[in-house]
Amino acid sequence: MDMICDNNYTRLCGSMCGSPVYSHSSRAQQFYIFPMEVERLSGNRDIINIVVRQEQLAELALDGSGKLWVEGQLRSFNNRHGQGAKLVITVLAKELGFCEGEDENIVQLTGSLCKPPNLRTTPMGRDICDLMLAVNRHYGRSDYLPCICWGLKARDAALWPVGTQLKLQGRIQSRNYIKLTEEGPVEKTAFEVSVTEIAAADSEESPLK
């Protein structure tokens, strides 16, 4: 397991809901991508895109169905093609296999706050704070991962300055929304980490280790 996973760890258990398709090549390796459906406790479902190496596909003979567990890292890249979301969030699978049992969706991140927090109130009167976390990885690169906090955690998060080192735990969620374009309304999907626990990395009161 990559040592940098100490900063960026994801574990999922859910159902494949699409066949793998070619994604890209990097460092003489070919990568494929497929959607995984993970059920929340509420019964709602998140669709999360999983990136795997060609060797992993061949070993498991993944065909677009079945229940899998995945351990890996959250990754981001900027989509410059003008279609879909500008910031694309995926899970890079380090290990995976077939499984049974309840769905899981766990994310643990340590990174730097790279934009001022955005505190706002939902139409239902609930406080929510948007955060952008820069999480380091190898080769001098970083993943820029959108996160959201709710309630008291949102009000606390709004006070952190840019550059604050944060540790958090949460889950990946997908959210459909309508964007108005010159061609008319277009349905798009946003991905973010819904935070359950968060603290400054050097805080002695942090519940996260």
Side-chain angles (χ1 to χ4, degrees):
M1 186 70 73
D2 201 329
M3 288 183 65
I4 203 74
C5 277
D6 288 345
N7 292 342
N8 186 337
Y9 172 80
T10 297
R11 179 176 173 86
L12 302 172
C13 182
S15 302
M16 293 185 72
C17 53
S19 298
V21 297
Y22 176 76
S23 173
H24 65 282
S25 296
S26 177
R27 296 181 175 85
Q29 293 190 86
Q30 291 188 327
F31 292 84
Y32 288 73
I33 189 169
F34 66 85
M36 172 184 277
E37 182 181 78
V38 182
E39 186 174 358
R40 304 182 194 178
L41 292 176
S42 65
N44 293 329
R45 291 173 169 81
D46 295 297
I47 305 297
I48 301 164
N49 292 313
I50 312 297
V51 175
V52 297
R53 298 189 308 274
Q54 185 179 35
E55 292 83 353
Q56 293 170 306
L57 279 182
E59 181 178 348
L60 292 175
L62 300 178
D63 62 1
S65 62
K67 192 161 189 177
L68 298 175
W69 65 267
V70 174
E71 288 191 353
Q73 298 173 294
L74 272 186
R75 291 292 176 89
S76 70
F77 73 91
N78 287 318
N79 179 7
R80 306 183 188 280
H81 297 293
Q83 297 180 348
K86 291 184 178 180
L87 185 66
V88 178
I89 306 296
T90 62
V91 173
L92 176 64
K94 297 291 185 176
E95 299 179 13
L96 74 163
F98 293 105
C99 69
E100 298 179 355
E102 296 183 354
D103 286 10
E104 289 185 78
N105 187 341
I106 300 170
V107 178
Q108 296 174 341
L109 302 172
T110 301
S112 177
L113 187 62
C114 60
K115 292 175 64 175
N118 177 33
L119 180 65
R120 52 196 173 89
T121 304
T122 69
M124 299 297 292
R126 192 175 181 191
D127 290 326
I128 181 173
C129 188
D130 301 295
L131 306 173
M132 184 65 75
L133 201 67
V135 178
N136 292 336
R137 57 168 144 133
H138 285 316
Y139 312 110
R141 300 183 64 183
S142 296
D143 292 291
Y144 296 90
L145 304 171
C147 307
I148 57 170
C149 301
W150 300 87
L152 179 59
K153 290 184 176 66
R155 296 191 290 275
D156 290 342
L159 302 176
W160 284 318
V162 171
T164 301
Q165 291 289 313
L166 300 173
K167 296 174 71 74
L168 64 83
Q169 182 170 302
R171 61 175 177 78
I172 310 166
Q173 70 177 23
S174 61
R175 173 173 52 84
N176 294 330
Y177 67 98
I178 301 297
K179 182 175 182 179
L180 299 178
T181 68
E182 294 180 356
E183 291 76 25
V186 177
E187 184 176 23
K188 296 194 173 187
T189 303
F191 298 90
E192 57 212 357
V193 176
S194 181
V195 174
T196 54
E197 298 290 346
I198 188 169
D202 60 355
S203 173
E204 295 181 356
E205 298 179 357
S206 171
L208 302 171
K209 303 299 182 184

